[in-house]
């Protein structure tokens, strides 16, 4: 009886330890397996480690089974100390391996964030006497209608439920933040839900420059979402081989804060679309101007608007907009903020760039000014940030900034040549992991480095570029257009269709989706400098502009009708005489977006009466300010002529303006 | 107590099966069947900086030996020297098949230092633009292979470049052929210009 009671005790412990060893061994294999596609000889060690784990476990299992059999048959307590020790050592080694692999993998893969924090705020105008959420009573509150928007709908809905806002207030749904903000400013709305990061996004839009001073946050709520659940982009890129051509969208995030774990959406200022063909090592690079007037994919009806306005609707919206417009699928994205760029360039030991002109901008913390000099320079992180950010000192503004950003990227690619090993490459990535986010997996990033490493090992990129970059340029012209959502006239960059087509062709060619023309002849001369061609720059015969509703005000009925006929617009008049004092459709609205006719309201006075009235008023004013006597009739005629000229000029300017003076800063 | 024979047999069979599976898996996944191609220098003419690599084609290797002979003599026959480097340049530059990647541009040993950067950039953008990477020996592209080069007229000319003048520069006319079905429509003739720099001759111009 005594023996019987002792037997199972030893057996249970042995079985339990074996089971723990099995679990630990399996989990160790799983953790080690995650490193399989790393470069160099790492995969071989991984397979060897897995092999040893399996073999050792099988040996242990064999010994345990034998001991247990012996114990059962001999009916006595056998010595099992040695076996216990082996099992405990096996488990300890397994646990250490798990912890170690977890540490290394997190270190290597921290730039692909698993969770992202979305933050939504209930905001109102500063003048409103509302300090906390319980003060929100009898308000009309705006919320986005898009049910998939984390910060525009999901979090706001939770807040509405939590604080019972629906009971005392009216909740009004909107298609866009712009419309909502416009209604908040015009006091049609009392408060609205918006992404907490709204100030930097809106402050770059004309009319909202002082949004930070004009509005206040009543309540903010943050919520963590698994990135793979909120974005289809996270899942689609997984498992994709980087040996096949792919596209990547680089987005600069206008944020001086440390960290990119929040949904810090890029404000669309820095958008660079790259295609890369790992077979031919060819790349195309396109800087997309922030004011590009393109269809916004996530808005109902996909209306055209500035591409930068898509930024407030998240990375997916921005990527879909670009995909639709340039007819390519974007496989990967990478976001980096100010600090990230500074850290990356510093970790690389600086970059060598030909700076086009002297530039000065705030540093990455907006704490002081950093200046860089024209000419060939070795730039540190802050210097590279100045070159990437500054547009106000450039003649061609945002377009020039895009070109400078490409210079920085090219210089960084060249700098990869100086990285000696994949571990050094990972270390560099680790320094920016907090300020960099991407849907690349660790394996994919390491694969790129592996190609570069093989090229360098063969001395194939010492004197030539590591990657051959074809620069693309979206040609276009500026035009002031009435924005339905923002309800104001804004400066837009209207791309030339032929330029867009050339860009699409170049990208598809590089991606291997269309056939390429093979160059079969070559010539060169030491006295002829070689200049790379830029695709998309033209020259193109066709311009790019929309026909816009002219300003009818101040014109007589006949003049207004003639102008309407000239533009092919149907107009109806309210009133029978006088000049146009109001038009039902705002000036500079796109004519192709008109439905029905425009109603023009006429003043009841005749044109002559108006002229007289104007001249009388002017005369009176003049009499007040000057002692000189003037011929009132002459002045009236002159003033009228001037008015007409101004009107005509105004219309012309709106049609053809391509100056950037009026554009948003 | 000894295990029964049948139990022992089962354990052994179990071990064999498991180890076989593991071994097959390791063979299939662990050992990189793609062999990375690494080019190594097999011969060089040190005082001139000319090299030949194991990945370069036979025509180049053969002509390189000829160049070694020419340059190893006490009194170098410059006409022979210029003819040989003309051949080597054409073979190396226009044979794309033995290149490991588009950055592996042939003939750069013979191009003037002042022109090299532009030359490489232009070659990458034109003739070499679509040469696929063959670092792992997986390329399936058909690419030109130069099999023979004929040197025509060799003339001494005056050549001015970058504020310099060489009164005894060389103008060399060359024609060449490719391996059949590898280079339809590809260039087959050119005029090359070489100038003196120290004891070396450098290519400064290539006219179609």
């Amino acid at each position: 009886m005594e023996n019987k009671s002792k037997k199972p005790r030893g057996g249970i412990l042995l079985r339990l330890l074996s089971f723990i060893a099995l679990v630990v061994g399996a989990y160790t294999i799983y953790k080690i397996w995650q490193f399989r596609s790393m470069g160099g000889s790492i995969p071989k060690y991984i397979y060897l480690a897995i092999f040893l784990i399996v073999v050792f476990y099988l040996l242990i299992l064999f010994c345990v089974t034998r001991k247990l059999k012996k114990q059962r048959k001999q009916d006595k307590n056998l010595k099992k100390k040695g076996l216990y020790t082996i099992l405990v050592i096996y488990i300890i080694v397994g646990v250490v391996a798990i912890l170690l692999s977890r540490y290394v993998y997190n270190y290597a893969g921290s730039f692909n964030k698993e969770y992202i924090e979305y933050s939504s705020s209930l905001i109102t105008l500063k003048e409103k006497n509302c300090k906390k959420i319980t003060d929100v009573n009898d308000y009309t509150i705006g919320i986005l209608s898009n049910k998939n928007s984390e910060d525009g709908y999901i979090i706001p809905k939770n807040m509405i439920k939590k604080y019972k806002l629906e009971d005392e207030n009216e909740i009004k749904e909107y298609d866009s933040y712009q419309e909502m903000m416009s209604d908040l400013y015009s006091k049609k709305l009392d408060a609205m839900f918006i992404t907490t990061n709204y100030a930097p996004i809106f402050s770059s839009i004309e009319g909202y420059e002082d949004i930070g001073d004009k509005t206040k946050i009543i309540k903010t709520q943050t919520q963590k979402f698994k990135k793979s659940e909120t974005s289809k982009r996270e899942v689609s890129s997984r498992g994709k081989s980087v040996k096949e051509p792919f596209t990547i969208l680089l987005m600069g995030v206008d944020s001086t804060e440390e960290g990119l774990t929040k949904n810090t959406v890029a404000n669309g200022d820095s958008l660079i679309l790259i295609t890369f063909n790992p077979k031919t090592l060819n790349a195309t690079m396109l800087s997309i101007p922030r004011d590009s007037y393109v269809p916004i994919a996530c808005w109902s009806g996909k209306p055209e608007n500035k591409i930068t306005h898509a930024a407030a609707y998240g990375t997916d919206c921005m990527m879909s907009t670009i995909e639709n417009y340039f007819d390519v699928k974007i496989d990967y994205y990478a976001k980096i903020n100010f600090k990230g760029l500074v850290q990356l360039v510093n970790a690389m030991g600086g970059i060598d760039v030909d700076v086009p002109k002297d530039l000065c901008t705030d540093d990455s913390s907006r704490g002081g000014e950093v200046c860089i000099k024209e000419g060939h320079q070795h730039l540190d992180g802050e210097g590279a940030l100045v070159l990437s950010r500054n547009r106000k000192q450039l003649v061609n503004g945002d377009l020039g900034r895009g070109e400078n950003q490409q210079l920085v990227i090219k210089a960084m690619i060249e700098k990869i040549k100086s990285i000696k090993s994949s571990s050094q490459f990972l270390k560099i990535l680790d320094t920016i992991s907090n300020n960099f986010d991407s849907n690349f997996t660790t394996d994919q990033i390491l694969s790129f480095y592996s190609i570069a490493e093989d090229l360098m090992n063969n001395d194939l990129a010492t004197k030539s570029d590591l990657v051959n970059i074809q620069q693309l340029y979206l040609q276009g012209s500026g035009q002031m257009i009435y924005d339905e959502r923002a309800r104001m006239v804004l400066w837009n960059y209207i791309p030339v269709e032929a330029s867009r087509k050339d860009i699409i062709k170049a990208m598809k060619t590089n991606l291997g989706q269309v056939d390429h023309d093979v160059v079969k002849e070559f010539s060169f001369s030491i006295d002829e400098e070689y200049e790379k061609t830029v695709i998309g720059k033209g020259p193109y015969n066709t311009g790019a502009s929309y026909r816009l509703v002219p300003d009818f005000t101040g014109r007589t009925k006949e003049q207004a009708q003639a102008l309407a006929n000239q533009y092919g617009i149907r107009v109806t008049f309210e009133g029978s005489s006088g000049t146009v004092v109001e038009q039902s459709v705002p000036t500079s609205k796109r004519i192709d977006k008109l439905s029905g006719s425009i109603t023009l309201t006429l003043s009841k006075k005749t044109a002559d009466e108006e002229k007289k009235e104007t001249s009388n008023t002017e005369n009176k004013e003049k009499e007040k300010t000057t002692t000189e006597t003037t011929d009132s009739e002459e002045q009236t005629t002159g003033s009228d002529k001037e008015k007409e000229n101004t009107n005509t000029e105004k219309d012309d300017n709106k049609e053809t303006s391509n100056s950037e003076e009026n554009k948003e800063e | 107590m000894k295990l029964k024979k049948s139990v022992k047999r089962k354990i052994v069979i179990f071990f064999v099966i498991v180890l076989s599976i593991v071994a097959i898996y390791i063979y299939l996944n662990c050992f990189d069947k793609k062999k990375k191609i690494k080019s190594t220098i097999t011969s060089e003419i040190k005082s001139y900086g000319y090299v030949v690599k194991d990945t370069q084609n036979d025509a180049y290797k053969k002509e390189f030996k000829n160049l070694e002979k020419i340059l190893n003599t006490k009194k170098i026959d410059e006409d022979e020297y210029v003819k040989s480097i003309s051949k080597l340049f054409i073979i190396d530059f226009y044979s794309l098949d033995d290149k490991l990647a588009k950055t592996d541009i042939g003939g750069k040993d013979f191009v003037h230092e002042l022109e090299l950067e532009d030359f490489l950039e232009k070659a990458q953008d034109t003739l070499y633009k679509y040469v696929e990477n063959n670092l792992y020996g997986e390329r399936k592209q058909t690419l030109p292979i130069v099999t023979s080069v004929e040197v025509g007229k060799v003339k001494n000319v005056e050549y001015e470049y970058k504020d310099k003048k060489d009164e005894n520069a060389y103008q060399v006319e060359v024609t060449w052929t490719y391996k059949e079905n590898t280079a339809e429509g590809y260039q087959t003739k050119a005029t090359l210009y070489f100038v003196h720099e120290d004891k070396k001759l450098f290519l400064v111009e290539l006219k179609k």
Side-chain angles (χ1 to χ4, degrees), chain A residues 225-322:
Chain A
F225 290 84
K226 202 166 188 183
K227 221 161 59 162
S228 55
E229 284 166 8
T230 59
S231 170
K232 58 185 181 197
R233 306 281 170 187
E234 300 307 319
V235 188
S236 64
S237 67
R238 283 180 197 167
K240 194 177 160 76
S241 166
V242 288
K243 286 174 193 160
E244 295 303 317
F246 62 86
T247 50
I248 171 168
L249 180 68
L250 303 183
M251 291 179 272
V253 177
D254 189 353
S255 156
T256 53
E257 279 177 32
E258 178 78 25
L260 263 182
T261 47
K262 286 182 183 175
N263 181 37
T264 32
V265 179
N267 66 356
D269 267 17
S270 306
L271 296 169
I272 297 175
L273 181 61
I274 295 172
T275 66
F276 180 63
N277 190 327
K279 289 179 184 168
T280 59
L281 301 174
N282 284 328
T284 65
M285 206 189 284
L286 169 73
S287 294
I288 303 167
R290 66 194 287 278
D291 296 314
S292 299
Y293 193 67
V294 301
I296 307 297
C298 60
W299 291 0
S300 151
K302 298 186 176 116
E304 285 94 348
N305 211 295
K306 283 170 187 268
I307 199 162
T308 188
H309 291 173
Y313 302 87
T315 309
D316 277 15
C317 179
M318 182 61 88
M319 286 172 79
S320 304
T321 298
I322 294 170

Side-chain angles (χ1 to χ4, degrees), chain A residues 135-269:
Chain A
D135 297 339
V136 177
N137 270 320
D138 208 16
Y139 271 26
T140 308
I141 304 170
I143 183 174
L144 266 195
S145 56
N146 178 5
K147 292 184 171 54
N148 297 320
S149 170
E150 288 78 11
D151 40 18
Y153 186 87
I154 298 170
I155 300 175
K157 273 284 173 190
N158 290 340
M159 288 171 80
I160 289 168
K161 200 176 167 189
K162 189 175 172 186
Y163 299 104
K164 294 174 183 159
L165 295 175
E166 221 154 10
D167 301 345
E168 306 285 334
N169 306 285
E170 186 198 342
I171 309 295
K172 196 175 170 186
E173 289 192 358
Y174 281 82
D175 278 349
S176 74
Y177 284 133
Q178 275 91 340
E179 282 173 277
M180 232 192 282
M181 192 62 83
S182 173
D183 277 1
L184 185 76
Y185 266 52
S186 60
K187 293 171 188 166
K188 286 178 193 165
L189 266 185
D190 300 300
M192 64 181 271
F193 284 103
I194 191 168
T195 176
T196 308
N197 191 36
Y198 71 98
I201 296 169
F202 271 84
S203 62
S204 63
I205 301 172
E206 202 176 280
Y208 296 109
E209 294 88 346
D210 56 351
I211 193 163
D213 300 326
K214 270 202 154 182
T215 59
K216 63 179 176 187
I217 291 175
I218 304 169
K219 187 79 190 169
T220 295
Q221 189 167 304
T222 53
Q223 199 175 326
K224 263 189 181 179
F225 290 84
K226 202 166 188 183
K227 221 161 59 162
S228 55
E229 284 166 8
T230 59
S231 170
K232 58 185 181 197
R233 306 281 170 187
E234 300 307 319
V235 188
S236 64
S237 67
R238 283 180 197 167
K240 194 177 160 76
S241 166
V242 288
K243 286 174 193 160
E244 295 303 317
F246 62 86
T247 50
I248 171 168
L249 180 68
L250 303 183
M251 291 179 272
V253 177
D254 189 353
S255 156
T256 53
E257 279 177 32
E258 178 78 25
L260 263 182
T261 47
K262 286 182 183 175
N263 181 37
T264 32
V265 179
N267 66 356
D269 267 17

